[in-house]
Amino acid sequence: MTHLPPPAEELRLLDAELWQLDSRRTQLLARRAWLVAALQQTQQQSRAQAGTQPPPAAPPRPEAAAPSVQNVLLVLGGVLLTLAAVVFTLVSWGHMGITGRALVLGAVTLAALAGPALLLKRGLRSTAESVAGLGLALTVLDAYALHEAALAGTDGTGYAAAATAVLAGIWSAYGLLPATAALRLPLPCALVAAQFPLSLGALSADAGSYVISAALLVTAGLDAMTALRVRTGSVRITAMVGAYSTGALGVLTAGWLSLAADTSSAAARAGALLLLAAAIALGAAWRVPGPGVGHALGLAAASGLLTVGALGGAARFGVPAEWVVPVHLAFGVALLAGLRAGRLLPDAVRHGVAWASAVVQALALLWALPVVALVVMGPAGWLVRVWSGAPSDARAAVAVEAPWPSDAAAAPVALLAVAAVLASAVRAEQWRPRARLGALGLLWAAALLLPAILAVPYLAGMSVLGVMTAAALYLGRTTGSGARVTALVLALVTAVDLTLVSLASQAATLVVLSVLTALLAAASWRASLAPFTAPAALVYAAALASATGAAVDWPPARTALLVLTVPVAAALLAPRLGAQRATVPVEAAGAAAGLLAVGLAVSDPPLLALVLAACGVITAGTALRPDRRPLGYAATALFVLAAWVRLAAWEVGTPEAYTLPVTVPALLVGALRRRHDPQASSWTAYGFGLTATFLPSLVAAWGDPHWMRPLLLGTAALLVTLLGARHRLQAPLMLGGSVLALVTLHELAPYVVQVTGALPRWAPPALAGLLLLALGATYEQRIRDVRRVREVLGRMS
């Protein structure tokens, strides 16, 4: 049977057991907390020590790979051996007999040339290349030693030509042997040596510049053939470098000979050299494989340019000097026949020839550009000789400050030829419209040159310019945007040129300005032309008004009244033009004419006031339009300026006469704004208007010894203050109160000074002390009063 204690005893036992468990749990938790703290401290110390200790050194990485080190060592070894051989040949050669010399050099050379074969069998390719380079260098020393020992009496240049040819053959044969065919060095070296035999041979034979140039070109041709036939990369690159370098030297020499030729036979020989270079370039371009399209294009273009230079240089002795450029241009245009060849020529060749023709035509245009610039800009010289007298012909009207070029007669031919090419030769749909526009511009330039070149009479030349302007405006009616812009630019440039030419004569100036104004105004009724022609018509109208005033001997100020008709016309026409884009340009032209009128009237203040008032009326009329409301501010400013100028002309010195015309409109505008927008601030509505009068009047009142201005100013300030308080407006209340206080202070200042002088010296400090005591006693009440005033002002608008 199980013994069960009484309930009271069992309860006592359970309580004792639970107390022991709680005590043990508390001890374990304390021990755990101590252990956690100790572990954290140990980790922090370990981290601190790790931060102070340097990181472990990484194993050194080699800075150069093993093959690189090997190549450097081999190259240095070969260079040192070559230098040693050179020193031996130059220094120790004389201490040995002929047999010893031959045996030493022959044995060393044969050993150096035979060594690479053995090294290649063992797989030491890099070492074999180094030894082969030493052997090739020794063959050069052998050739030098042979000349010094046995052939010292021969010509050095001729011997060098023969030696380079022999060395080129030996190195080529050595590089083609089965045992040494794997070497990369002999064949490129043979090509380098092959660059010199022909040119050195020509120099040794005193053959002249023509033969030297031919030798260089033949060498370049051989290099080109090698580059096209050989597949080895190093040999092809060497051959290409040789072809381009020797070919460039040969072409430069032939070109210099062509330019320096003084007879037709010399020019023909130089032309033959250039044709040889062209044939080499064309043949290379024809044979260039597919991936080398860029090389083929460049070579074909060079061939075309060389052909033009050869034929043109040979033909320049049969034509006058001024026609040399057109002759070259004719040959350049003839190159376009290559485009008709179709499949007979590769595409790269045809395109390269076309580019060559384009370059020739561009150079011809650059040659004609100075003549065009003289015709267009030369008449500007009449700006400093206005109405000095009509010139004799159109050429004199153009060449005012600069001399007329002697070769100008051929310039139109070049322009017309290029224009014909652009109009007929360009077939691509993408470029054809642009080419036609370019042709139109060139035709216009050629027509512009003809009156001056033919020296037609002065009036006839101006008539041609007028007809060209009208024709360009008529062409501007086309629907294409590019053609329209081009025609408008040509029309405006021609009109400016015609205007400058007409400045020589008073009658011509008035007639030309009238005709151009009418032409441009008539063209402005077309919506597509109005944005350009309408403002131009207004500009010419302003110029006509100014010229008319000068013609009748009016002073500039009176002429300004005549110029004002242009802003009036602009203000009336701007909203009625069919094109919306023309409105702003027309208004801008009218504003510019108004500024011109103001500038003309500056010398006469009464007329200046009238002009400013008229500009204000025009601006106010424009501001009546709904989309031009902001111009009302500009109209107000113009009216104010007119009033000020009139007052200055009357010698009025009262500041209120100048400020009240500003204050009254400003206050009216502010009142209207407050009516439409009750939330608008009183400072925005009335601040500027009140300040415009109060500040100048206050400054004048402080310096005015009389009582009338301070009384009126104080009364006005009091009324403004009362109105501000009545309507709870912050700006009138603050401004009026401030001005009233300052005026009162100014008026009471003498009495304050008088009373201060009558008081004892201790009185002011005593009064200040009493004031501070009073303020201190009621400090808290004053703080509440200041806060209350601030809140009242803050609630005002």
Side-chain angles (χ1 to χ4, degrees):
M1 294 181 63
T2 303
H3 174 71
L4 295 173
E9 182 66 18
E10 186 177 3
L11 180 60
R12 186 184 63 78
L13 293 175
L14 290 176
D15 289 339
E17 189 70 23
L18 289 174
W19 181 84
Q20 290 179 0
L21 290 175
D22 289 339
S23 177
R24 183 60 178 168
R25 185 175 186 275
T26 303
Q27 293 176 359
L28 294 175
L29 288 175
R31 181 62 179 175
R32 181 183 183 279
W34 183 85
L35 291 174
V36 170
L39 288 175
Q40 291 179 351
Q41 185 176 4
T42 303
Q43 291 178 356
Q44 291 178 357
Q45 292 177 355
S46 300
R47 292 174 182 174
Q49 292 177 0
T52 57
Q53 294 178 357
R61 186 179 62 180
E63 297 181 356
S68 301
V69 175
Q70 172 189 344
N71 293 332
V72 170
L73 294 177
L74 291 175
V75 170
L76 286 176
V79 170
L80 291 177
L81 288 175
T82 303
L83 291 177
V86 171
V87 172
F88 170 77
T89 304
L90 296 179
V91 178
S92 301
W93 182 256
H95 300 288
M96 302 177 63
I98 185 64
T99 304
R101 301 172 188 173
L103 290 175
V104 170
L105 278 179
V108 172
T109 303
L110 290 175
L113 293 177
L118 300 176
L119 293 172
L120 288 174
K121 290 181 179 180
R122 295 180 177 271
L124 302 176
R125 184 185 182 89
S126 299
T127 307
E129 293 286 354
S130 299
V131 177
L134 175 62
L136 298 180
L138 287 175
T139 56
V140 177
L141 295 177
D142 289 339
Y144 171 76
L146 179 62
H147 178 268
E148 294 296 323
L151 301 175
T154 60
D155 178 50
T157 306
Y159 179 80
T164 52
V166 172
L167 288 176
I170 293 174
W171 291 350
S172 299
Y174 180 71
L176 295 175
L177 290 176
T180 56
L183 295 175
R184 298 179 181 178
L185 193 60
L187 292 180
C189 292
L191 274 176
V192 173
Q195 307 302 310
F196 302 101
L198 292 179
S199 56
L200 291 178
L203 285 174
S204 65
D206 293 332
S209 301
Y210 292 95
V211 178
I212 294 175
S213 178
L216 291 172
L217 293 176
V218 171
T219 304
L222 296 175
D223 290 334
M225 291 177 59
T226 305
L228 292 172
R229 291 180 177 274
V230 178
R231 293 292 179 261
T232 306
S234 58
V235 179
R236 289 184 61 190
I237 293 175
T238 306
M240 289 174 59
V241 172
Y244 281 119
S245 58
T246 55
L249 288 175
V251 168
L252 290 176
T253 305
W256 176 78
L257 292 173
S258 178
L259 293 176
D262 52 359
T263 61
S264 58
S265 61
R269 285 182 290 168
L273 293 174
L274 292 175
L275 288 177
L276 173 61
I280 295 172
L282 182 61
W286 203 314
R287 297 292 301 276
V288 168
V293 175
H295 289 282
L297 186 65
L299 290 171
S303 175
L305 293 175
L306 291 173
T307 302
V308 172
L311 299 178
R316 63 189 175 93
F317 287 93
V319 296
E322 62 269 18
W323 292 96
V324 172
V325 173
V327 168
H328 283 78
L329 178 59
F331 290 124
V333 173
L335 291 177
L336 294 176
L339 293 176
R340 309 292 184 183
R343 297 185 178 276
L344 296 178
L345 294 176
D347 291 340
V349 175
R350 292 192 296 111
H351 293 160
V353 173
W355 275 108
S357 177
V359 170
V360 174
Q361 296 177 56
L363 293 175
L365 292 181
L366 288 177
W367 169 77
L369 184 60
V371 183
V372 178
L374 175 62
V375 173
V376 174
M377 303 175 62
W382 292 111
L383 292 173
V384 296
R385 304 180 183 183
V386 177
W387 297 351
S388 58
S392 58
D393 52 34
R395 183 179 299 178
V398 167
V400 182
E401 301 290 343
W404 183 253
S406 59
D407 55 353
V413 176
L415 296 174
L416 292 174
V418 178
V421 171
L422 290 176
S424 60
V426 179
R427 299 293 183 182
E429 294 295 332
Q430 180 182 0
W431 296 100
R432 188 167 181 78
R434 302 176 187 179
R436 289 183 175 180
L437 293 180
L440 177 62
L442 294 176
L443 287 175
W444 168 84
L448 194 66
L449 297 181
L450 288 178
I453 291 175
L454 299 177
V456 300
Y458 176 62
L459 295 179
M462 287 196 301
S463 301
V464 172
L465 294 177
V467 171
M468 290 176 61
T469 303
L473 289 175
Y474 181 79
L475 290 176
R477 297 161 56 92
T478 182
T479 56
S481 59
R484 180 168 58 249
V485 172
T486 303
L488 286 173
V489 170
L490 297 180
L492 295 178
V493 172
T494 311
V496 172
D497 192 37
L498 176 59
T499 304
L500 294 175
V501 170
S502 68
L503 293 178
S505 171
Q506 175 179 317
T509 301
L510 296 176
V511 172
V512 166
L513 291 177
S514 302
V515 172
L516 290 177
T517 302
L519 276 176
L520 293 171
S524 301
W525 293 110
R526 193 171 185 85
S528 59
L529 302 180
F532 304 94
T533 56
L538 294 175
V539 170
Y540 275 99
L544 177 61
S546 302
T548 302
V552 296
D553 292 331
W554 281 4
R558 186 180 297 180
T559 304
L561 299 176
L562 192 59
V563 174
L564 280 177
T565 57
V566 177
V568 173
L572 295 175
L573 292 175
R576 292 173 173 80
L577 290 173
Q580 186 67 24
R581 295 179 304 166
T583 303
V584 174
V586 167
E587 291 175 346
L595 289 177
L596 175 62
V598 171
L600 291 174
V602 167
S603 60
D604 192 340
L607 278 177
L608 177 60
L610 180 59
V611 170
L612 289 172
C615 292
V617 171
I618 297 170
T619 308
T622 305
L624 294 177
R625 292 159 48 192
D627 56 339
R628 294 293 186 267
R629 296 298 188 193
L631 289 179
Y633 298 104
T636 304
L638 288 171
F639 285 131
V640 171
L641 286 176
W644 285 357
V645 172
R646 174 54 66 182
L647 292 173
W650 288 338
E651 298 182 355
V652 175
T654 304
E656 288 77 11
Y658 294 90
T659 58
L660 286 177
V662 179
T663 298
V664 174
L667 293 177
L668 292 176
V669 172
L672 292 175
R673 180 170 183 178
R674 289 274 299 179
R675 177 176 296 179
H676 292 290
D677 184 12
Q679 301 299 325
S681 173
S682 61
W683 288 101
T684 305
Y686 305 116
F688 174 75
L690 294 175
T691 305
T693 293
F694 275 157
L695 286 182
S697 298
L698 184 61
V699 173
W702 274 63
D704 193 349
H706 303 287
W707 57 272
M708 181 62 68
R709 176 177 279 110
L711 177 61
L712 295 176
L713 180 59
T715 303
L718 178 60
L719 292 175
V720 170
T721 304
L722 294 176
L723 289 173
R726 171 69 179 80
H727 296 284
R728 301 177 62 83
L729 298 176
Q730 190 178 107
L733 180 62
M734 297 295 294
L735 291 175
S738 300
V739 173
L740 180 60
L742 291 174
V743 171
T744 303
L745 177 62
H746 174 264
E747 294 302 314
L748 295 180
Y751 303 102
V752 173
V753 172
Q754 185 178 359
V755 170
T756 304
L759 291 175
R761 293 184 179 273
W762 52 267
L767 292 175
L770 290 174
L771 179 62
L772 291 176
L773 288 175
L775 290 176
T778 60
Y779 181 76
E780 185 177 359
Q781 182 64 33
R782 300 284 80 76
I783 292 295
R784 285 198 298 268
D785 294 341
V786 170
R787 289 176 178 173
R788 191 177 297 111
V789 170
R790 186 178 62 185
E791 292 175 357
V792 171
L793 291 176
R795 288 193 296 269
M796 292 183 179
S797 59

